[in-house]
């Protein structure tokens, strides 16, 4: 299993749980539908961008570079007070 195979569940599981906790049940289908649409539309855009770039830069270096940028971005996200606040559990009355 590659690094992507490990990284996707590590991100997707908490993200999905957070959405299910924070969004009203009546809107969950709509939200997941929009997220699916966005993720599906990003694949062709990525191909349009990285296809021509791969003619000039080796694929290995593109993967290393984009992986590094995602790694750096994660440190900025760790410092985001809004994301930390959003990740706190919702306490229901009586807990």
């Amino acid at each position: 299993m590659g690094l992507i195979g490990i990284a996707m569940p590590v991100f997707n599981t908490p993200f999905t749980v957070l959405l299910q906790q924070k969004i009203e049940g009546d809107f969950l289908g709509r939200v997941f539908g929009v997220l699916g649409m966005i993720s599906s539309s990003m694949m062709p855009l990525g191909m349009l961008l990285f296809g021509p770039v791969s003619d000039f830069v080796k694929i290995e270096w593109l993967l290393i570079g984009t992986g590094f940028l995602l790694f750096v971005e994660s440190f900025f996200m760790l410092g985001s007070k809004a994301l930390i606040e959003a990740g706190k559990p919702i306490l229901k009355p009586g807990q």
Side-chain angles (χ1 to χ4, degrees), residues 36 57 86:
V57 180

Side-chain angles (χ1 to χ4, degrees), residues 1 8 12 19 24 26 41 47-48 65 69 76 80 83:
M1 180 185 293
M8 292 307 288
N12 283 339
L19 285 178
E24 293 181 34
D26 296 341
S41 66
M47 288 183 230
L48 283 172
L69 290 174
F76 287 109
S80 170
L83 286 175

Side-chain angles (χ1 to χ4, degrees), residues 90-95:
I90 299 172
L91 296 177
K92 296 180 182 169
Q95 285 186 325

Side-chain angles (χ1 to χ4, degrees), residues 11 25-26 31-32 42 44 57 64 70-71 82 94:
F11 172 76
D26 296 341
V31 170
F32 282 115
M42 288 298 117
V57 180
I64 290 169
L70 286 171
F71 184 72

